Amino acid sequence: DGWVSKVDLDTLEVMASIDVGVSSRGTGLTDDGRYLLIGNFEPNTAVLLDAETMEVVQTFEATGSVNDGPDLPSKVGGIAQLGTKLYMVLKDVNAVWEIETADPAFPIRKYENLGEGQTPLHDIFLTPDGRYVLVAVQGANVIWVLDTETGEEVAEVPTATTPHTGPGATVGNLTF
């Protein structure tokens, strides 16, 4: 329904609630607990909140182009966090945005045309060691892999139909 609530886990009391959209999906909290990012299917935005005050810091319009076509709006799917970075999936335009919250300008690094532009993207998973971000490119039946240490796209791993990275499962050097 587009509402996000902050809950004190000691008392189970709702500390604050804020309306950030109509149909919200992914949520990510920076490792320092400073910023909370909420992704929306409707409207096509991601809303960055100050996690302490629950005030809106910035709203990102989720748009992009597929294979150099015109800019289109996109639903925001999964969100993952690593340190001060937030990764969000732009489901309909085959892009992943990396937002750096340590810089007050919140610069965005865009990874585009994943899976050769075959929509949609869906889940996102960060390996427990934080080294890799994996994203399900369902239209291309691949898992896109980003090396977070180098910022380089390292692979598109073929899968069976309709991959879901979901919360994933990793042990050692194996991920399922």
Side-chain angles (χ1 to χ4, degrees):
D1 63 4
W3 283 85
V4 61
S5 297
K6 179 179 177 179
V7 178
D8 181 322
L9 292 178
D10 290 328
T11 64
L12 300 180
E13 177 184 344
V14 175
M15 307 302 294
S17 292
I18 182 171
D19 185 359
V20 294
V22 175
S23 179
S24 301
R25 303 293 176 173
T27 304
L29 179 66
T30 55
D31 289 348
D32 61 7
R34 186 168 180 193
Y35 294 106
L36 181 68
L37 185 69
I38 310 298
N40 292 309
F41 271 22
E42 187 180 340
N44 302 116
T45 60
V47 179
L48 188 67
L49 302 175
D50 178 304
E52 180 66 29
T53 66
M54 295 292 282
E55 294 176 1
V56 174
V57 175
Q58 186 160 336
T59 299
F60 301 94
E61 298 293 327
T63 62
S65 67
V66 178
N67 296 326
D68 299 320
D71 271 359
L72 303 169
S74 179
K75 296 178 211 69
V76 176
I79 295 175
Q81 64 277 339
L82 178 63
T84 57
K85 294 178 181 175
L86 293 160
Y87 297 89
M88 66 185 228
V89 170
L90 279 69
K91 187 175 179 93
D92 305 310
V93 296
N94 288 51
V96 170
W97 287 4
E98 176 188 278
I99 302 168
E100 177 53 76
T101 64
D103 182 332
F106 305 113
I108 299 171
R109 182 172 185 179
K110 297 179 181 181
Y111 300 93
E112 299 175 310
N113 290 317
L114 283 56
E116 299 179 2
Q118 300 298 309
T119 60
L121 296 185
H122 198 63
D123 308 309
I124 188 168
F125 170 66
L126 182 70
T127 58
D129 62 3
R131 178 70 188 266
Y132 299 103
V133 169
L134 294 89
V135 176
V137 186
Q138 293 183 329
N141 298 326
V142 299
I143 298 296
W144 176 80
V145 183
L146 172 72
D147 183 323
T148 60
E149 290 181 8
T150 65
E152 298 296 319
E153 302 172 58
V154 294
E156 286 192 353
V157 181
T159 66
T161 60
T162 318
H164 278 284
T165 56
T170 299
V171 61
N173 67 344
L174 299 174
T175 293
F176 300 87

